[in-house]
Amino acid sequence: MTNSAIPAYDNVSGNYYDKYHTKNPVARWLMDGFFRSFDELVAKSGAERAFEVGCGEGHLSLRMIEAGLSVSGIDLEQDAIEQARTNASLAGIYARFEVEDLYGLNAEERAAPLVVCCEVLEHVPDPDQALAKLVTLADPWLLVSVPNEPLWRALNMARGKYLADFGNTPGHIQHWSSQGIETLVRRHAEIVEVRQPLPWTMILARTDG
């Protein structure tokens, strides 16, 4: 669904929760599952270079760099990019992070063997348009992840979060079951593998299928 009151190019930001460094043991267990699936799908692509769209504070980009890939990333939020650069510097890692809009990207300049777009599409008013742009950049691999609904909201409610919004995380304007996001991605690319690390859906796809 698209919110017609929000421009298609203008992602909706949400609340900030540092899930990458959480001390909560349950959240840590969930993130371990996410990282395991992410690492395995990145390795399956065989890519040596990646471009992350919506890189946030750079945690996944830095993770890929530590695995031996050359990585650059973009995000709409200046604060996030500044933190990504700080995180890279603290880790002694070189990475190119820039503030840029997905829809303004030039495939001739930004195409990469692996394009990563994790925890972004649920914030995008027009995910079809976003995916159409992503496949022009992915040459040939695309890795995306989104919250698995309604499980995501049910788990939020179970921990007493966002009850007034029935567990919906602020900023999430799109909601997909695993089957739903598979259907959407399949309109744009060939799905190679689907993972369901609780409570996400993660898809590795090829754009030359």
Side-chain angles (χ1 to χ4, degrees), residues 45 47-51 111-115 137-142:
S45 76
E48 298 180 352
R49 182 168 59 89
F51 178 54
L114 172 63
V115 171
L137 306 173
D139 185 22
W141 294 102
L142 175 63

Side-chain angles (χ1 to χ4, degrees), residues 145-159:
S145 73
V146 297
N148 188 351
E149 298 286 10
L151 179 59
W152 179 275
R153 281 174 288 180
L155 290 176
N156 275 339
M157 294 187 72
R159 64 192 184 99

Side-chain angles (χ1 to χ4, degrees), residues 9 47 54 84 121:
Y9 57 83
L121 293 176

Side-chain angles (χ1 to χ4, degrees), residues 30-46:
L30 295 174
M31 286 308 303
D32 286 345
F34 179 95
F35 287 140
R36 184 163 51 253
S37 289
F38 180 81
D39 292 345
E40 290 172 357
L41 292 182
V42 168
K44 184 165 187 172
S45 76

Side-chain angles (χ1 to χ4, degrees), residues 106-135:
N106 185 327
E108 292 183 359
E109 299 175 354
R110 295 293 201 174
L114 172 63
V115 171
V116 172
C117 187
C118 288
E119 306 308 288
V120 173
L121 293 176
E122 63 269 24
H123 298 275
V124 176
D126 189 341
D128 256 315
Q129 184 182 356
L131 277 165
K133 171 59 78 169
L134 289 170
V135 300

